[in-house]
Amino acid sequence: QVHLVESGGDSVQAGGSLRLACVASQYRYRPNCMGWFRQAPGKEREAVGSFLTYADTPYYPDSMKGRFNISQDSAKSTLYLQMFSLKPEDTAVYYCAADMLVEGCGSLKSDDFRYWGQGTQVTVSS
């Protein structure tokens, strides 16, 4: 079992930046893969990016490259999502996810992740 808690969601103006954090706890073995997903009202959940924790390697879908950066503080069991140049279309609930998978980490499929946080709201106004 892995317990995930996201924080850092806020309301910001377009063009602004925001950093989300996800703290993982209550695990016996640290998840090999952690990721960020988002879901806007009326839309399907989409991948923002994932992170192979033991290799310090991020993966991003093409649509997210350039404005989003995933990093970790392994000592704090925390995964970060730094977002730049935010747009109103970035408005969504952002979820942290985790699993032990390795080879599939870069596939960015939400179905591959067993553990999920409760989500944190990001609202970008124009």
Side-chain angles (χ1 to χ4, degrees), residues 12-80:
V12 297
Q13 294 284 326
S17 299
L18 205 58
R19 189 178 79 161
L20 307 183
C22 171
V23 178
S25 63
Q26 301 179 16
Y27 54 84
R28 183 172 183 180
Y29 302 101
R30 189 174 184 216
N32 292 319
C33 181
M34 296 181 70
W36 288 99
F37 293 80
R38 71 183 186 183
Q39 189 165 20
K43 294 187 177 181
E44 294 186 355
R45 186 172 296 184
E46 64 176 338
V48 177
S50 61
F51 198 89
L52 201 56
T53 57
Y54 67 85
D56 214 32
T57 300
Y59 302 94
Y60 306 97
D62 289 342
S63 59
M64 302 294 174
K65 290 180 179 178
R67 296 192 299 116
F68 298 91
N69 183 51
I70 298 176
S71 62
Q72 69 173 343
D73 183 335
S74 56
K76 297 181 180 179
S77 298
T78 301
L79 188 75
Y80 297 103

Side-chain angles (χ1 to χ4, degrees), residues 5 7-8 15-16 24 30 32 41 51 66 71 79 82 84 103-104 107 109 111 116 118-119 124:
V5 178
S7 63
R30 189 174 184 216
N32 292 319
F51 198 89
S71 62
L79 188 75
Q82 180 71 56
F84 305 93
E103 291 185 359
S107 298
K109 297 178 181 178
D111 289 347
W116 291 82
Q118 82 288 349
V124 184

